Amino acid sequence: AQSVTQPDIHITVSEGASLELRCNYSYGATPYLFWYVQSPGQGLQLLLKYFSGDTLVQGIKGFEAEFKRSQSSFNLRKPSVHWSDAAEYFCASSRAGTALIFGKGTTLSVSS
Amino acid sequence: EAEVAQSPRYKITEKSQAVAFWCDPISGHATLYWYRQILGQGPELLVQFQDESVVDDSQLPKDRFSAERLKGVDSTLKIQPAELGDSAMYLCASSYGRYNNEQFFGPGTRLTVL
């Protein structure tokens, strides 16, 4: 069965430092992969998506993610974190025509 | 910018009562999803519609939950009777087509069952 694992429940990063959030997927073929961000009490906003092609994907708000088939990973990165980036981040996968399968999420805290 | 609309944003009810949530997807989006998000978890699919037809409701607790999308546009999710364990965020999402997997999410309805 398809699954998504986010190994880190909570990460704290200093403002201005770099960020990497980990995501591993389980699926025989290459799935569609997504990163969403959720602020408290809000819906989910799409940061970036990977369907095929270039394995380094650029998203909004300065985020990027790299698809690595050999590691079944799709890690999210940002070179310099801002206090406004504090939120819950969800990695998700799907196949064509199906709903999203989400990881349990990683809470990002930003310290000054 | 077009958005997915949901109402109400917050709902407090007592157990055994009936509740209903409404979702209006982005105009032209044929595929509509209802997800449930328990606090501290990722969203999980309850039901997926393609136009007015149910595509996947395998995770919908059908003894108490029902969902409809009669004209293939807006949708209603109902719980009757509500139980304490139903307290969660209910998220609606839509996509242009079933095989276009970019889903746009609404703000959600936060349900508290007392």
Side-chain angles (χ1 to χ4, degrees):
Chain A
Q2 198 174 356
S3 66
V4 174
T5 302
Q6 294 181 245
D8 304 304
I9 297 174
H10 189 192
I11 285 182
T12 299
V13 176
S14 298
E15 190 168 16
S18 64
L19 169 70
E20 183 169 27
L21 300 182
R22 297 184 291 164
C23 172
N24 293 97
Y25 67 90
S26 171
Y27 181 56
T30 300
Y32 301 146
L33 296 164
F34 307 82
W35 275 99
Y36 284 86
V37 61
Q38 186 178 36
S39 297
Q42 302 298 312
L44 289 93
Q45 182 182 23
L46 180 67
L47 289 175
L48 46 79
K49 60 185 183 287
Y50 174 77
F51 287 175
S52 65
D54 192 346
T55 57
L56 185 62
V57 179
Q58 301 297 320
I60 63 171
K61 303 184 179 185
F63 286 93
E64 67 177 27
E66 186 172 11
F67 169 65
K68 293 185 177 180
R69 183 191 306 274
S70 61
Q71 299 177 18
S72 297
S73 69
F74 188 58
N75 294 350
L76 182 71
R77 301 193 294 249
K78 187 170 185 177
S80 177
V81 169
H82 187 262
W83 65 266
S84 61
D85 293 324
E88 185 95 18
Y89 290 81
F90 292 96
C91 182
S93 74
S94 71
R95 293 173 287 133
T98 68
L100 295 168
I101 303 294
F102 285 89
K104 294 186 182 298
T106 298
T107 300
L108 173 65
S109 297
V110 180
S111 61
S112 57
Chain B
E1 181 175 306
E3 296 180 341
V4 177
Q6 289 188 248
S7 67
R9 291 292 309 277
Y10 304 92
K11 179 70 177 179
I12 299 175
T13 190
E14 294 185 347
K15 64 179 182 178
S16 79
Q17 296 297 303
V19 293
F21 313 133
W22 177 79
C23 172
D24 191 14
I26 293 172
S27 178
H29 279 197
T31 310
L32 185 147
Y33 310 80
W34 284 100
Y35 292 86
R36 178 169 61 182
Q37 184 180 21
I38 297 170
L39 191 63
Q41 302 288 322
E44 295 182 333
L45 179 73
L46 290 174
V47 61
Q48 177 183 349
F49 287 93
Q50 179 64 28
D51 299 309
E52 66 276 8
S53 300
V54 173
V55 173
D56 183 355
D57 64 355
S58 58
Q59 300 304 310
L60 187 71
K62 298 181 187 64
D63 57 335
R64 297 185 300 107
F65 286 64
S66 64
E68 61 183 16
R69 194 184 184 199
L70 294 176
K71 296 183 179 179
V73 181
D74 59 339
S75 175
T76 302
L77 178 69
K78 298 179 181 178
I79 308 175
Q80 181 173 19
E83 296 180 353
L84 296 178
D86 296 331
S87 294
M89 175 78 89
Y90 290 82
L91 293 162
C92 180
S94 68
S95 62
Y96 179 73
R98 181 176 178 182
Y99 296 96
N100 176 337
N101 283 71
E102 183 166 353
Q103 296 179 27
F104 297 83
F105 282 80
T109 295
R110 168 69 69 187
L111 173 66
T112 301
V113 182
L114 303 176

